[in-house]
Amino acid sequence: MKDSKSVSPERIHESTWITLAILGSTILITMYGETMLLPAIGDIIKEFDISYSTSSWILTAYLISGAVMTPIAGKLSDIYGRKKMVLIIFIIYIIGIAIGGISNNIYMLILARVIQGIGISMFPIAFGIIRDQFPVSKIAIGVGIFSSMFAAGSVVGMAIGGTIIKNFGWQATFFTIIPIAIILWIVIRKRIRNDDHTQTIKEIDVEKEHEYSSGLGKVSEDIKMPRKQHIDIKGALSLAFSISAFLLTLTYFASINSESHEATSLDNIILVTLIALTIVSITSFVLIEKRAKEPLIPLNLITDKILLPSNIILLVFGITMFMVYQTIPILVTSPIPYGFGGDAIQSAMVQLPFMIVFLIFAPSSGFIVSKIGNFKPIIVGSILTSIGFASLFVLHQNELMIALNLVVISAGLSLTQVGAFNITLQHTPYQFSGVSIGISVVLVLMGSSIGPVIATTFMQTFQESAAGINLESYPSPLSYNLIFLSATIISIISFPCMILLKKRTLKTLASNLGNSDN
């Protein structure tokens, strides 16, 4: 093994591809479970008689759970081993799927989604297993292929989920996952080798470590992962409160400002209390992490001059992508003239081109980034995303227009997220790589939680009552215009981040070259 490595350090070994395929399948099955329910959101709103704001928790409960558990699971994987944690988390995910299949009210469904959300914390752990096996110059390829599994799962979820929903009801979609997940769990247990998390960095690959060194400092060659580590319980709890309070504030704001609800003084008091709770919990989290000997999320990783703009780009990616996920199914399935009067299958078909393009572009983006660098793909991707949302704002009068605009948006998002993730990996010291990946994933998840809340805020606030006996209300055309306009404005935030990122990266590179010359 050592001889082959010294002869061809840039060669990607066969075992790496096998590991990538197996662990990539965990993303595929998890994203299938996530997106299969999207075409049925309209049906769930009717069946459980809930508001559009409440329906957003079908997505946000899943994402909050994942955002909270990701750094905790990452820390546990450092203590007990990555393979062991992947297997435990996967079992928890299967239990959540089973509960989802027997849900008969919105509260039980949200509980199931919270449990399923824990499955998201597998992603950075699985990616950590893979990234250790890729040469540094080829990491972008692994990022791209790994990312494409998100789209692959989404394509399967959209296509099969819509058909199952129409013929057997949305609950049946959950039961299709369980046997596949069990088989995959067995394959991981048998084929993925155990990791020795007490190895020294020198034993893993000292040369790779030097390639990853950045402004956060050099790493000693004989640093060991401590045999006994502790979970930052206070940090984990404060992070959970911070994320939950923030999203609950947005959701409550949407509910009290809907046309069907006249805000009272009590509502205003509750809203102010939630805002105060959000501020206090975020402040507490920062103070706790500053004082912690082993912080859940080291604050210097969050504020790093290169990682910060890269993570903001990933945050924008999560917000805009899930604004689409939340909005399009409701627009397609709402009755004419408030929507297109379609069913779950039509909703899936409108979003299917988005997923297919993402499936194709994500691995392609990895090869592109590995050849021409990170910045050009991020620039092109951000331009395409902004153009796509601007076009969607102007042209969303029929399903074909929406599908074509989603294709442009998908191409842009895939280029942007692969480039941004690759920057995070390349500019993080090796001993902080697991934590850094976790932070990036958490920010994507936070964005993915914020996006649906923004969308449902507009849909709940701007509604029109349908003529008829039941007098149901549906999101007005103005709500969709505001959603797509907001997505356009948010996507433009990436541009100053790109400029800042490029300047800081070039400056850091020049500084490192100067130090090496000295």
Side-chain angles (χ1 to χ4, degrees):
M1 178 68 78
K2 289 183 180 180
D3 292 337
S4 64
K5 184 176 179 179
S6 61
V7 172
S8 180
E10 297 301 306
R11 179 174 175 266
I12 302 175
H13 297 285
E14 182 180 346
S15 60
T16 300
W17 291 116
I18 294 173
T19 300
L20 180 61
I22 294 172
L23 295 178
S25 298
T26 63
I27 292 183
L28 190 151
I29 193 67
T30 305
M31 288 308 297
Y32 165 69
E34 167 64 11
T35 56
M36 68 176 178
L37 211 54
L38 294 177
I41 289 178
D43 294 339
I44 293 172
I45 290 173
K46 295 177 183 177
E47 180 174 333
F48 292 152
D49 190 24
I50 57 176
S51 68
Y52 290 98
S53 293
T54 303
S55 73
S56 71
W57 283 94
I58 297 171
L59 290 176
T60 54
Y62 177 91
L63 296 168
I64 289 172
S65 174
V68 171
M69 281 303 302
T70 293
I72 297 173
K75 187 74 171 183
L76 289 171
S77 71
D78 287 338
I79 299 173
Y80 300 109
R82 291 172 178 169
K83 176 182 175 180
K84 184 179 293 184
M85 285 308 303
V86 167
L87 291 173
I88 292 173
I89 293 169
F90 213 8
I91 289 176
I92 296 172
Y93 175 74
I94 293 171
I95 293 172
I97 289 295
I99 295 175
I102 59 174
S103 296
N104 55 14
N105 59 66
I106 188 61
Y107 303 106
M108 191 172 182
L109 178 59
I110 290 176
L111 172 63
R113 297 290 283 168
V114 169
I115 298 173
Q116 292 167 36
I118 296 174
I120 295 177
S121 61
M122 288 188 295
F123 298 166
I125 299 174
F127 189 73
I129 296 173
I130 292 169
R131 75 179 293 280
D132 290 341
Q133 300 185 36
F134 270 87
V136 174
S137 62
K138 305 292 185 183
I139 283 290
I141 297 174
V143 173
I145 295 174
F146 210 58
S147 300
S148 70
M149 293 298 101
F150 285 87
S154 299
V155 168
V156 176
M158 287 288 185
I160 299 179
T163 302
I164 294 175
I165 289 166
K166 184 174 182 179
N167 293 287
F168 304 102
W170 60 266
Q171 289 94 339
T173 57
F174 288 103
F175 294 115
T176 62
I177 302 176
I178 295 176
I180 301 172
I182 292 174
I183 292 171
L184 185 57
W185 186 89
I186 294 172
V187 171
I188 293 172
R189 186 173 183 274
K190 289 184 175 294
R191 296 301 302 270
I192 302 298
R193 66 175 182 268
N194 287 312
D195 54 306
D196 181 7
H197 53 283
T198 63
Q199 282 182 300
T200 65
I201 293 175
K202 184 174 181 179
E203 289 171 337
I204 297 172
D205 191 348
V206 174
E207 293 181 2
K208 179 183 285 189
E209 166 53 37
H210 289 308
E211 292 184 67
Y212 277 102
S213 294
S214 71
L216 291 174
K218 284 277 185 180
V219 180
S220 173
E221 293 182 0
D222 58 355
I223 291 177
K224 289 187 178 182
M225 296 294 290
R227 290 185 178 276
K228 186 175 181 180
Q229 300 182 70
H230 303 280
I231 294 295
D232 179 15
I233 300 296
K234 292 181 180 179
L237 291 174
S238 60
L239 176 65
F241 278 121
S242 299
I243 296 173
S244 301
F246 176 71
L247 292 170
L248 185 60
T249 301
L250 289 179
T251 303
Y252 194 78
F253 175 80
S255 65
I256 67 173
N257 284 278
S258 66
E259 291 186 356
S260 59
H261 181 96
E262 185 176 348
T264 64
S265 57
L266 178 60
D267 290 327
N268 293 328
I269 292 173
I270 293 174
L271 181 61
V272 171
T273 303
L274 288 172
I275 293 172
L277 181 62
T278 302
I279 296 172
V280 169
S281 58
I282 292 174
T283 304
S284 299
F285 172 71
V286 172
L287 293 175
I288 288 170
E289 295 304 274
K290 279 185 176 181
R291 297 172 182 173
K293 292 182 178 179
E294 296 180 22
L296 185 69
I297 299 179
L299 298 180
N300 63 327
L301 287 178
I302 297 177
T303 58
D304 180 73
K305 61 183 179 180
I306 291 176
L307 298 180
L308 178 59
S310 177
N311 282 330
I312 291 175
I313 291 173
L314 290 172
L315 178 68
V316 169
F317 164 79
I319 292 173
T320 53
M321 188 170 184
F322 273 77
M323 285 179 74
V324 171
Y325 277 177
Q326 181 71 23
T327 303
I328 301 303
I330 294 174
L331 175 58
V332 174
T333 58
S334 294
I336 299 173
Y338 309 101
F340 302 134
D343 55 19
I345 293 179
Q346 286 175 275
S347 174
M349 290 302 102
V350 171
Q351 296 179 89
L352 193 59
F354 177 93
M355 304 301 177
I356 292 174
V357 171
F358 199 95
L359 174 61
I360 296 171
F361 259 78
S364 302
S365 299
F367 285 96
I368 292 170
V369 168
S370 68
K371 294 292 183 183
I372 67 173
N374 299 307
F375 296 107
K376 290 181 180 178
I378 291 178
I379 292 170
V380 173
S382 297
I383 292 172
L384 286 176
T385 302
S386 299
I387 291 174
F389 277 118
S391 179
L392 190 61
F393 167 60
V394 177
L395 303 171
H396 56 268
Q397 288 78 18
N398 57 59
E399 293 163 326
L400 178 60
M401 288 181 181
I402 292 176
L404 292 175
N405 287 322
L406 290 181
V407 166
V408 177
I409 293 169
S410 180
L413 289 175
S414 63
L415 286 167
T416 301
Q417 63 100 21
V418 170
F421 264 118
N422 200 52
I423 287 174
T424 299
L425 292 170
Q426 288 184 339
H427 292 276
T428 301
Y430 195 80
Q431 84 276 28
F432 295 123
S433 59
V435 178
S436 187
I437 295 170
I439 292 172
S440 296
V441 171
V442 166
L443 288 172
V444 171
L445 295 175
M446 287 185 65
S448 303
S449 302
I450 294 169
V453 174
I454 294 174
T456 53
T457 296
F458 287 123
M459 285 190 284
Q460 189 75 24
T461 303
F462 302 99
Q463 294 189 359
E464 294 181 359
S465 298
I469 299 175
N470 54 10
L471 296 177
E472 291 187 36
S473 296
Y474 298 94
S476 67
L478 175 60
S479 68
Y480 297 116
N481 287 333
L482 291 173
I483 290 169
F484 299 138
L485 178 61
S486 298
T488 305
I489 295 171
I490 293 171
S491 64
I492 293 174
I493 294 174
S494 298
F495 288 95
C497 290
M498 287 186 298
I499 297 171
L500 193 63
L501 187 59
K502 187 170 184 179
K503 287 183 178 179
R504 289 178 173 179
T505 303
L506 293 175
K507 185 177 179 180
T508 301
L509 180 61
S511 176
N512 290 340
L513 289 174
N515 292 335
S516 64
D517 291 340
N518 295 332

